[in-house]
């Protein structure tokens, strides 16, 4: 960036996480950190990918921002901010309100996110009422059908009256996105939004997300273990291993990433055009698991 760059005067980030730790109590009663000091920022309109092996703390990190952690989780952080608001200082009620109105989350499996005993229209009504509580019944119905049509659902009237189990995975996913799109969240966490879908439906879902982000300047946290997808869809990528961020880089620079874990992930994604005979196996180094700060504290006491 040149000296004329306005970046130094740019507004505060949309989301700011500093030293996030999330712990669970084990059978022995001891609290163990699952997320061990994650720091990251997200700017308006930015798409931040989080990649890493399963269990590395990606979902917990995303959920922490939205206040959607499991009740057993113990959260500590130096900073947890949304658009300048200190989320840690808000009452539970204010927090829920803020999250409901300005943030959204799309989960991997719509089966667990849509309420099975409510029709699509009934749950969309609840979601929309958060934003426009005084909407009349007929106007609400129109808004719901419009939102479903906007995510390319061909028979929105019928889908509106369906129960979640009557929908295919791709359809359920689009219903969830429809709920998000129409509210135009400022921050969206998409947690493996396409990994349960076949390739064509996944591409459609990504196109819908893309359109929404462009329209509302939404900041996106895109959790995935699909490196090529993240490289093409995101601006910046955070790599997590065992509850910590081990690397952050521009998505286009991911191919030149330095951390051995990232290099291993990349090697495990062979080029389609010219695949090697044998896929390399990711060699894990126990040193990746050690938190340098914990090691320092251990040495000090
Ligand atoms: N409800 C829970 N109770 C106990 N431990 C949990 C719970 N949820 C997550 N964890 C722990 O946190 C780790 C990270 O979880 P998660 O963020 O879901 O990983 P990821 O999304 O990267 O696969 C898990 O490996 C698990 O050890
Ligand atoms: Mg996860």
């Amino acid at each position: 960036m040149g000296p004329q760059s306005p970046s130094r005067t740019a507004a505060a980030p949309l989301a700011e996480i500093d030293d996030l730790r999330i712990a669970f109590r084990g059978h022995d009663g001891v609290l163990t950190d699952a997320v061990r000091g994650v720091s990251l920022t997200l700017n308006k309109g930015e798409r931040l990918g989080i990649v890493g092996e399963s269990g590395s703390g990606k979902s917990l990190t995303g959920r922490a921002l939205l206040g959607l952690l499991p009740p057993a989780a113990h959260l500590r952080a130096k900073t947890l901010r949304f658009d300048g608001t200190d989320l840690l200082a808000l009452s539970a009620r204010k927090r829920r309100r803020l999250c409901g109105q300005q943030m959204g989350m799309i989960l991997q499996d719509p089966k667990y996110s849509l309420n099975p005993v409510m029709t699509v229209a009934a749950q969309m009504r609840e979601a929309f009422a958060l934003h426009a509580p005084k909407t009349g019944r007929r106007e609400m119905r129109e808004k719901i059908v419009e939102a479903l049509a906007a995510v390319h659902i061909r028979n929105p009237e019928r889908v509106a009256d369906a129960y979640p189990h009557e929908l295919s995975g791709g359809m359920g996913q689009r219903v969830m996105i429809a709920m998000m799109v129409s509210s135009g969240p400022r921050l969206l966490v998409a947690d493996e939004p396409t990994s349960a879908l076949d390739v064509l439906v996944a591409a459609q879902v990504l196109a819908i997300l893309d359109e929404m982000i462009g329209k509302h300047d939404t900041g996106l946290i895109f959790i995935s273990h699909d490196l090529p997808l993240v490289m093409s869809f995101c601006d910046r990528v955070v790599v997590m291993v065992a509850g910590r961020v081990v690397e952050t880089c521009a998505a286009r620079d991911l191919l030149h990433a330095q951390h051995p874990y990232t290099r291993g992930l990349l090697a495990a994604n062979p080029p389609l055009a010219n695949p090697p005979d044998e896929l390399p196996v990711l060699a894990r180094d126990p040193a990746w698991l050690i938190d340098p700060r914990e090691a320092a504290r251990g040495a000090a006491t």
Side-chain angles (χ1 to χ4, degrees):
M1 256 179 234
Q4 308 301 329
S5 161
S7 69
R8 297 230 58 90
T9 53
L14 182 64
E16 227 180 320
I17 299 178
D18 184 23
D19 200 15
L20 172 69
R21 289 167 185 270
I22 300 168
F24 293 94
R25 206 172 288 286
H27 294 299
D28 51 6
V30 176
L31 276 177
T32 309
D33 280 347
V35 171
R36 307 189 299 158
V38 164
S39 302
L40 56 84
T41 57
L42 175 74
N43 294 315
K44 290 188 182 91
E46 187 183 31
R47 303 157 184 224
L48 178 70
I50 303 185
V51 301
E53 63 194 345
S54 132
S56 57
K58 306 183 296 296
S59 296
L60 288 176
T61 301
R63 286 172 170 277
L65 262 179
L66 278 90
L68 292 176
L69 287 176
H74 293 252
L75 175 146
R76 282 167 299 151
K78 287 204 186 105
T79 311
L80 198 62
R81 258 178 218 286
F82 172 73
D83 201 19
T85 301
D86 181 0
L87 294 173
L88 298 170
L90 286 186
S91 70
R93 212 175 120 248
K94 285 198 174 138
R95 176 95 191 261
R96 259 199 312 277
R97 219 183 135 85
L98 180 71
C99 292
Q101 289 178 339
Q102 308 207 12
M103 308 181 200
M105 185 151 186
I106 299 175
L107 301 172
Q108 176 171 1
D109 195 337
K111 276 204 281 294
Y112 299 110
S113 338
L114 295 171
N115 185 337
V117 300
M118 281 168 88
T119 63
V120 165
Q123 37 203 313
M124 289 181 79
R125 207 176 295 133
E126 264 187 13
F128 288 4
L130 271 176
H131 303 269
K134 295 204 176 78
T135 314
R137 250 195 120 69
R138 180 177 301 172
E139 192 190 337
M140 187 63 101
R141 176 76 188 186
E142 272 166 22
K143 273 181 69 170
I144 288 167
V145 170
E146 233 168 66
L148 291 172
V151 294
H152 309 290
I153 287 176
R154 237 169 287 151
N155 28 27
E157 291 280 358
R158 212 191 66 209
V159 169
D161 295 320
Y163 285 89
H165 73 267
E166 299 174 294
L167 307 174
S168 68
M171 196 70 91
Q173 199 66 304
R174 271 185 270 188
V175 167
M176 287 213 337
I177 293 176
M179 291 165 81
M180 296 296 133
V181 170
S182 41
S183 61
R186 304 183 53 214
L187 170 79
L188 179 67
V189 176
D191 192 353
E192 316 241 8
T194 56
S195 53
L197 308 176
D198 70 59
V199 184
L200 283 180
V201 181
Q204 284 175 351
V205 164
L206 288 176
I208 295 164
L209 274 182
D210 200 51
E211 195 182 314
M212 184 200 91
I213 292 162
K215 195 159 140 198
H216 300 285
D217 207 21
T218 303
L220 175 74
I221 293 183
F222 189 84
I223 299 172
S224 175
H225 49 245
D226 185 337
L227 248 63
L229 174 63
V230 166
M231 278 192 276
S232 64
F233 197 69
C234 296
D235 304 312
R236 208 151 52 87
V237 183
V238 159
V239 182
M240 286 185 67
V241 176
R244 290 194 294 129
V245 172
V246 295
E247 186 145 30
T248 305
C249 65
R252 63 173 177 279
D253 294 336
L254 196 59
L255 282 174
H256 313 292
Q258 292 306 312
H259 192 275
Y261 173 75
T262 320
R263 301 239 41 96
L265 270 187
L266 287 166
N269 279 286
L272 284 177
N274 210 348
D277 293 338
E278 222 176 303
L279 282 182
V281 174
L282 183 57
R284 308 184 86 259
D285 181 343
W288 300 344
L289 307 183
I290 297 168
D291 182 335
R293 277 166 300 189
E294 271 161 25
R297 269 203 296 277
T301 48

